[in-house]
Amino acid sequence: MRDKPWIFRTYAGHSTASASNALYRQNLSRGQTGLSVAFDLPTQTGYDSDDPRARGEVGKVGVPVSHLGDMRTLFDAIPLGTMNTSMTINATAPWLLALYIAVADEQGVPRKDLQGTTQNDIIKEYLSRGTYIYPPRPSLRLTADTIAFTCREMPKWNPVNVCSYHLQEAGATPVQELAYALATATAILDTVKASGQVAPAEFGRIFGRISFFVNAGIRFVTEVCKMRAFTELWEDLGRTRYGVTGEKDLLFRYGVQVNSLGLTEQQPENNVYRILIEMLAVTLSKNARARSVQLPAWNEALGLPRPWDQQWSLRAQQILALETDLLEYGDLFDGSPVIRAKVDELKREALAELERIAGMGGAIAAVETGYIKERLVESNAARVSAIETGEQTVVGVNAYREGAAPALSGGSSAVVTVDASAERDQVERLHAWRATRDASAVATALDGLRAAAADGRNIMEPSIACARAGVTTGEWAGTLREAFGEFRAPTGVAATPRLSNDEQIGVLRERAKSIAVKLGRPPALLVAKPGLDGHSNGAEQIAFRARDCGFAVAYDGIRLTPAEIAAAAKARNPHVIGLSILSGSHKELVAEVMRELKAAGLSSIPVIVGGIVPPEDEADLKALGVTRIYTPKDFDLNAIMGDMLDIVAK
């Protein structure tokens, strides 16, 4: 008997709720069987679209959802009773789930029929994506509230998607991906258990509703074995730590997006083959097959993919599932001694790392002390170094770089660009929404939310009441900011670098010493991330390598305002300022930073910019006064270090 295919998804959303709704309906008409919603950075970090901190970020990497009206528009003519919806949302997950429920209530859909997933894995946000708001412990309380609520009200909903995907994007090895994801799941389950909101008899069902969102990289055999190790380790954890006995509850349930970290800007057409091979790693093994798959588009290293690009990725899934005979057979890898040996090796090493984390007091303690973040930065540094030296081959990047001119890509026409008018229109709609709602109902709903947060009660029903009253995303998150405070996670960039023995780095280090003698102090670099983008890998690797090369580096982490960056520059007097922006908001944010530096009398400090910057934007940035621009194609960090020493020497 032929197996049922996994759910076909594409990760999508941009500009406005209406534009994203049109895209969703188009993708569904082409055979997509589930939705995967991308929210913009203000929505993810709890700001309204008209907040000053949201300027330039609205609609750039996802859809803005500021209130119930936006959520209605987003799912207009999409029946929530039959749709399976995945929402990549974490710090504001309870709020977006509340808005979704309110729309479903309006559609007359019983909550028990709603199917889908809220990612809701806040721990990995402190380690990779950076869209956290509150400290870890109150954040986990919100996660526990959503789990307890969905267990009661929405039995088909996955309240948490423990997300190892972004751990791999941040540099995790397969062993680290296994260990840190399972440590996260353990912290979540222990918090739910301690909350007393779930009866012991129901705990097996809670365990069974925890799903995972994993990454599949290019090392095909290792990735197959990683997924088989995940299934075995998860079952062992359920039986031994939590006493779960139901076979269905013990299943390792996961969705996957294949690796985006390995997609290349150079020869981007090669990404098609990478995506296909990575998909095979999570579909060929029946006993560890993904429940849903979403594939990036071949050109995502260049910018937002077009509908045609997303369709091409969808067709790859459909061809594998519907044209081949894959789903007609049992597991292809059972009995293989090679696979068994690798699975056992991964399990053994992951359990050893889990033991280390347990000895520190668990995942939360390992996040708060910076242990996990430092391990990820070090692993990523090793990966970057291996590509630089050629130890790890990346076709089109450090091998076989010469080739025919590509016929698929061509500047900004090869990707979707978000028009500046989308932000203006969104802000106007937000103002109109506030003007027409019942202010007293909003105040009453927020009082109820504030009281629930203070009293330790479950915040889901008060959040749904807020949604119905017309509360905005910023008001909901702001109320909880007052209750819980905010948090800045460790950067993972150790103050004292582990000096490498690389010959090129040694040469750069000696040059930095020579410059330091002339300056009377080491060359100083301020690395800063303006805006709401939390993808910090690039900034971390620049800071990590610069320290190794002899720079005095200041890096305060993510989500700094232009004014804060100027203040840091005034206090630290760097020789170079490096800005890292990956959200597509580089023109707006760089202009603001330059204005703040000028106002502070710091216009003479050279500024360099790194990020996903289309060639046609480079002239605009240089006109603002930017000295150098680096994009993902500039993978040679030592060359960048040499450039910065040149700048300092001048």
Side-chain angles (χ1 to χ4, degrees):
M1 181 174 145
R2 189 176 178 87
D3 284 350
K4 184 179 178 182
W6 52 89
I7 297 170
F8 304 152
R9 300 191 199 271
T10 53
Y11 181 53
H14 64 82
S15 302
T16 64
S18 58
S20 298
N21 172 262
L23 178 62
Y24 296 162
R25 290 162 67 178
Q26 183 181 70
N27 286 345
L28 291 169
S29 73
R30 291 172 175 169
Q32 188 173 303
T33 54
L35 293 177
S36 182
V37 181
F39 296 99
D40 74 354
L41 289 171
T43 304
Q44 293 184 53
T45 53
Y47 295 110
D48 287 332
S49 297
D50 62 349
D51 191 289
R53 283 159 290 201
R55 192 174 300 127
E57 304 277 21
V58 176
K60 284 283 173 64
V61 300
V63 57
V65 176
S66 294
H67 48 72
L68 182 60
D70 285 339
M71 191 65 94
R72 282 184 193 131
T73 301
L74 188 62
F75 291 101
D76 181 44
I78 297 175
L80 300 189
T82 56
M83 184 49 55
N84 191 303
T85 303
S86 172
M87 294 192 283
T88 302
I89 196 71
N90 296 281
T92 54
W95 173 239
L96 273 296
L97 180 58
L99 290 171
Y100 190 84
I101 292 167
V103 171
D105 288 348
E106 290 178 349
Q107 288 188 5
V109 179
R111 294 178 183 178
K112 66 179 179 60
D113 292 340
L114 294 175
Q115 301 178 73
T117 303
T118 33
Q119 191 168 96
N120 209 11
D121 172 9
I122 199 62
I123 292 179
K124 67 95 174 51
E125 295 300 315
Y126 303 113
L127 303 171
S128 52
R129 289 181 70 250
T131 65
Y132 56 83
I133 303 174
Y134 319 112
R137 295 176 198 278
S139 294
L140 267 190
R141 174 203 151 176
L142 298 180
T143 303
D145 283 356
T146 58
I147 292 172
F149 175 85
T150 54
C151 180
R152 271 193 322 272
E153 301 278 333
M154 304 162 68
K156 296 180 182 179
W157 193 269
N158 301 322
V160 173
N161 214 204
V162 176
C163 188
S164 73
Y165 171 85
H166 292 100
L167 297 178
Q168 188 179 127
E169 296 286 294
T173 65
V175 167
Q176 290 171 332
E177 192 177 341
L178 286 164
Y180 300 158
L182 292 172
T184 294
T186 300
I188 291 168
L189 288 165
D190 287 353
T191 302
V192 173
K193 205 169 189 179
S195 75
Q197 295 189 68
V198 177
E202 292 289 321
F203 203 77
R205 194 153 65 89
I206 292 290
F207 189 90
R209 293 317 302 178
I210 303 294
S211 63
F212 287 74
F213 185 62
V214 306
N215 203 328
I218 195 67
R219 291 176 58 79
F220 170 78
V221 175
T222 300
E223 294 295 326
V224 168
C225 295
K226 181 188 77 181
M227 297 320 307
R228 293 170 75 90
F230 251 135
T231 64
E232 295 177 18
L233 287 167
W234 182 242
E235 181 177 348
D236 290 345
L237 183 70
R239 290 188 189 279
T240 58
R241 187 180 183 97
Y242 298 109
V244 179
T245 57
E247 294 301 319
K248 189 174 179 182
D249 292 334
L250 288 165
L251 291 175
F252 183 77
R253 302 162 64 253
Y254 79 98
V256 64
Q257 169 154 324
V258 307
N259 188 283
S260 293
L261 181 65
L263 300 184
T264 62
E265 183 180 358
Q266 306 94 317
Q267 300 182 13
E269 62 277 7
N270 296 341
N271 294 330
V272 174
Y273 306 118
R274 294 184 177 107
I275 291 165
L276 177 62
I277 291 167
E278 290 164 353
M279 175 175 61
L280 293 175
V282 294
T283 54
L284 288 187
S285 179
K286 180 177 179 178
N287 293 342
R289 182 172 292 149
R291 299 291 185 91
S292 69
V293 176
Q294 60 188 48
L295 303 181
W298 68 280
N299 57 349
E300 284 194 22
L302 306 176
L304 282 173
R306 300 159 298 188
W308 181 86
D309 305 313
Q310 292 191 327
Q311 175 187 293
W312 198 9
S313 285
L314 175 62
R315 293 294 182 253
Q317 294 199 59
Q318 292 167 328
I319 289 167
L320 178 64
L322 306 175
E323 290 190 23
T324 77
D325 57 354
L326 172 65
L327 299 181
E328 297 172 14
Y329 293 92
D331 197 287
L332 306 179
F333 297 102
D334 278 356
S336 165
V338 174
I339 296 293
R340 184 70 260 166
K342 184 63 178 176
V343 170
D344 289 344
E345 176 193 333
L346 290 170
K347 287 174 63 178
R348 185 170 59 253
E349 293 180 14
L351 287 169
E353 183 66 3
L354 278 165
E355 194 71 27
R356 275 189 286 274
I357 292 169
M360 297 173 193
I364 292 298
V367 166
E368 291 172 335
T369 61
Y371 168 78
I372 295 179
K373 184 65 174 177
E374 286 188 19
R375 298 292 80 73
L376 292 175
V377 171
E378 289 171 0
S379 296
N380 206 13
R383 182 191 67 83
V384 170
S385 178
I387 295 171
E388 285 180 300
T389 61
E391 180 185 343
Q392 179 177 327
T393 298
V394 182
V395 174
V397 174
N398 63 2
Y400 307 107
R401 296 169 67 176
E402 298 300 320
L408 288 169
S409 58
S412 60
S413 63
V415 294
V416 171
T417 54
V418 177
D419 193 277
S421 64
E423 180 168 335
R424 291 195 299 271
D425 293 346
Q426 171 67 12
V427 169
E428 287 174 7
R429 283 189 297 273
L430 175 57
H431 291 169
W433 176 266
R434 289 203 194 102
T436 57
R437 64 186 183 173
D438 183 339
S440 63
V442 169
T444 299
L446 287 173
D447 284 344
L449 178 67
R450 191 175 292 109
D455 297 344
R457 289 184 282 114
N458 191 297
I459 52 85
M460 281 306 302
E461 287 292 2
S463 295
I464 295 169
C466 284
R468 289 180 178 141
V471 166
T472 66
T473 297
E475 291 165 343
W476 180 89
T479 299
L480 295 187
R481 278 185 173 93
E482 293 170 9
F484 302 143
E486 293 192 74
F487 184 73
R488 290 198 69 79
T491 66
V493 181
T496 305
R498 298 182 183 183
L499 297 181
S500 71
N501 296 319
D502 181 270
E503 186 177 338
Q504 278 188 296
I505 292 177
V507 171
L508 291 165
R509 204 178 292 145
E510 290 305 313
R511 191 170 168 218
K513 287 179 182 176
S514 174
I515 292 173
V517 170
K518 295 176 183 177
L519 295 173
R521 63 182 177 121
L525 170 67
L526 172 64
V527 179
K529 283 193 62 63
L532 300 179
D533 167 43
H535 289 86
S536 56
N537 294 350
E540 290 157 3
Q541 291 309 310
I542 290 292
F544 190 93
R545 180 64 59 86
R547 280 189 175 152
D548 200 359
C549 290
F551 281 85
V553 178
Y555 173 53
D556 295 326
I558 61 172
R559 302 214 310 256
L560 298 175
T561 66
E564 288 170 335
I565 292 169
K570 197 166 187 69
R572 287 167 166 148
N573 191 26
H575 298 106
V576 182
I577 297 172
L579 304 179
S580 172
I581 305 166
L582 292 165
S583 64
S585 301
H586 42 271
K587 289 206 288 189
E588 298 92 338
L589 290 170
V590 170
E592 283 195 48
V593 171
M594 294 306 223
R595 280 194 293 270
E596 291 287 347
L597 290 174
K598 183 177 180 180
L602 303 172
S603 297
S604 62
I605 301 177
V607 174
I608 62 176
V609 172
I612 300 174
V613 180
E616 55 268 32
D617 288 353
E618 292 189 11
D620 293 333
L621 295 186
K622 287 185 176 176
L624 290 169
V626 172
T627 302
R628 293 273 204 290
I629 298 164
Y630 300 99
T631 71
K633 69 178 181 297
D634 300 302
F635 73 95
D636 188 341
L637 293 190
N638 287 340
I640 296 173
M641 297 299 119
D643 286 350
M644 289 197 297
L645 288 173
D646 287 342
I647 293 168
V648 175
K650 289 176 182 177

